[in-house]
Amino acid sequence: MNMMTQLKSNALFVDQFGRGKRKLRISVTDRCNFKCVYCMPEHPEWMKKHDLLSFEELYQFCDFMVRRGIEFIRITGGEPLMRQGVVHFVAQLQNLKQFGLKRISMTTNAHYLKQYAEALKQAGLDDLNISLDSLDASQFKHLTQKDLAPVLEGIQAAQAVGLPIKINTVLMHGMNENQILPLARWSVQQQIVLRFIEFMPLDGDRKWSTEHVVSEQQILETLATEFTVTKQGHGSAQTTSDPARQHFIDGHPIGIISTITNSFCGTCDRVRLTAQGEFYNCLFAPQGLKLKTQIKALTLKTASSEVNLHDALFTYIWHKEQGYHAIEQRLKNQSLDKSSRKISMHMIGG
Ligand code: SAM
Ligand code: SF4
């Protein structure tokens, strides 16, 4: 589909490589009670509360996007359970299921999950991704500056109310690669789906380097010392845009998100919005598109507010780059260093 064909259609945002956008990630806050080494800067400068979009504005934006083909919304952060009103937001998003929204998900560090699991289930949340980087309490504290126990209790609470969960583990060399086998055993025992994530250059203090990355290959080799490892291919038949490459250990599914060594960008159907209304067509885009004014205008429900937002979005989405490696190459060619990328994971939400 070329740009002119897309102009005629209000149905689905598509980029120049023909990748339609069906997944939207909304970061509702950049604040977090954890300080994960691979994410949070040592001295975070939080977004000002008055700069954040309200939940009503975020809802209007989600409504607008669902009417243009978004089928999956993931609520993230910072820590989404730290923003008051997030459960009500989940409940409000249910209205959009009549317009094509299929799933509402959340990514959380699970610290507060014990107290919120029941309410999230009641609000209609479909599933949760939970970050868990170590089963060793002192290592967990070293990685996050917080205790492991509330996270394990949060996982149990989610299971007790019947919320489907997946566990995300970011691996870093010299930090927690010794957790590959303990976490794999635990996931088999608990019958929970685990996904290992390669460390990406989106940490707040820009300390990332390739030496810190534990590659998919290294993860598989470690798993093979104890399990029979088989491979399914990239994604499943249902969700070929799944960033996790699917493997099995003794028949139990295990995913690996290998952005650095096997980028999944070719089928990327995701777009993202930060809590203060900056829109990103890619996790690695050096710059976002400031949409706060246009999103606030949506609440006025004038015809021009929708047209203005639509025009800004489709041009920006159309120009989405090919992927992580293409962006890195361009920055290198232009002699721009990694500090030219202003966004980090705690703002964009993963
Ligand atoms: N606070 C929530 C949590 O930790 O689940 C949601 C936000 S967090 C930014 C979303 C996901 O990004 C988490 O699974 C986290 O492990 C992952 N993440 C953060 N920094 C990362 C990095 N530099 N490389 C890879 N994944 C990262
Ligand atoms: Fe907080 Fe999540 Fe970042 Fe950890 S990964 S510091 S829990 S936002």
Side-chain angles (χ1 to χ4, degrees):
M1 192 191 299
N2 65 28
M3 200 166 176
M4 290 315 293
T5 319
Q6 202 204 341
L7 248 175
K8 290 181 204 148
S9 146
N10 222 10
L12 180 69
F13 288 115
V14 178
D15 67 37
Q16 58 183 320
F17 298 100
R19 299 168 296 189
K21 304 304 163 204
R22 302 205 178 269
K23 297 193 181 125
L24 170 64
R25 292 187 177 194
I26 300 274
S27 171
V28 295
T29 178
D30 61 329
R31 288 170 198 247
C32 187
N33 54 332
F34 280 29
K35 213 167 188 182
C36 301
V37 278
Y38 51 75
C39 175
M40 200 49 86
E42 185 58 31
H43 304 290
E45 284 177 32
W46 306 123
M47 293 172 186
K48 308 263 177 306
K49 284 202 173 147
H50 65 259
D51 280 338
L52 303 189
L53 289 168
S54 68
F55 276 122
E56 184 49 35
E57 289 158 349
L58 290 173
Y59 175 77
Q60 292 301 332
F61 181 70
C62 290
D63 181 338
F64 173 92
M65 293 300 281
V66 166
R67 289 166 198 267
R68 285 157 185 80
I70 289 293
E71 295 175 350
F72 302 90
I73 292 179
R74 175 170 298 282
I75 301 167
T76 176
E79 176 44 46
L81 294 178
M82 285 185 72
R83 181 154 176 196
Q84 248 185 345
V86 72
V87 176
H88 177 71
F89 182 52
V90 172
Q92 200 185 8
L93 287 175
Q94 300 301 325
N95 291 331
L96 301 182
K97 288 197 170 158
Q98 61 186 306
F99 303 116
L101 180 62
K102 291 184 178 153
R103 284 189 94 75
I104 304 161
S105 309
M106 184 180 282
T107 305
T108 174
N109 62 31
H111 181 86
Y112 295 113
L113 192 54
K114 189 177 172 185
Q115 73 199 67
Y116 281 111
E118 177 66 42
L120 287 169
K121 176 75 180 166
Q122 291 300 325
L125 189 77
D126 289 294
D127 56 78
L128 281 165
N129 283 358
I130 297 174
S131 301
L132 176 63
D133 302 315
S134 179
L135 288 170
D136 176 294
S138 70
Q139 190 182 54
F140 186 88
K141 189 142 201 170
H142 181 68
L143 289 165
T144 65
Q145 307 292 318
K146 284 281 174 183
D147 289 333
L148 173 63
V151 174
L152 296 179
E153 286 170 19
I155 291 172
Q156 272 176 4
Q159 288 175 310
V161 300
L163 274 171
I165 61 171
K166 283 184 190 150
I167 301 294
N168 285 340
T169 302
V170 178
L171 291 171
M172 291 177 79
H173 258 312
M175 288 282 189
N176 64 338
E177 75 259 61
N178 65 355
Q179 287 297 302
I180 296 173
L181 289 174
L183 276 162
R185 278 181 216 124
W186 177 81
S187 78
V188 174
Q189 231 171 40
Q190 302 277 324
Q191 288 297 296
I192 292 179
V193 175
L194 169 68
R195 286 126 42 103
F196 289 116
I197 304 178
E198 287 181 352
F199 178 32
M200 302 177 209
L202 289 168
D203 53 315
D205 285 333
R206 303 284 180 265
K207 293 200 173 134
W208 181 93
S209 89
T210 44
E211 290 109 70
H212 295 134
V213 178
V214 182
S215 70
E216 176 172 21
Q217 188 57 32
Q218 290 163 323
I219 298 167
L220 290 173
E221 281 166 14
T222 306
L223 290 170
T225 62
E226 187 167 319
F227 300 97
T228 303
V229 181
T230 46
K231 187 167 192 286
Q232 188 188 31
H234 186 180
S236 65
Q238 268 179 316
T239 56
T240 48
S241 62
D242 186 350
R245 287 151 68 93
Q246 203 61 60
H247 302 269
F248 293 91
I249 50 170
D250 293 352
H252 178 76
I254 196 155
I256 304 182
I257 301 180
S258 47
T259 316
I260 308 302
T261 63
N262 283 301
S263 128
F264 51 84
C265 307
T267 53
C268 182
D269 58 357
R270 284 169 294 278
V271 288
R272 298 167 163 87
L273 187 77
T274 71
Q276 53 187 5
E278 207 170 348
F279 186 88
Y280 279 80
N281 60 12
C282 172
L283 197 50
F284 298 98
Q287 267 170 351
L289 176 69
K290 289 188 170 63
L291 287 181
K292 185 152 72 174
T293 311
Q294 289 97 321
I295 293 174
K296 281 182 176 288
L298 272 185
T299 54
L300 303 174
K301 301 217 178 293
T302 61
S304 66
S305 61
E306 291 220 351
V307 172
N308 290 345
L309 182 58
H310 183 89
D311 287 356
L313 271 174
F314 99 68
T315 307
Y316 177 69
I317 291 174
W318 179 265
H319 289 107
K320 176 174 169 127
E321 293 189 57
Q322 200 163 18
Y324 166 67
H325 292 292
I327 293 174
E328 292 300 295
Q329 194 53 50
R330 182 172 63 75
L331 294 180
K332 214 164 153 187
N333 293 346
Q334 294 173 353
S335 304
L336 294 170
D337 70 9
K338 48 191 176 176
S339 61
S340 63
R341 188 180 285 133
K342 300 281 180 260
I343 197 83
S344 84
M345 233 13 159
H346 76 289
M347 297 186 246
I348 199 167

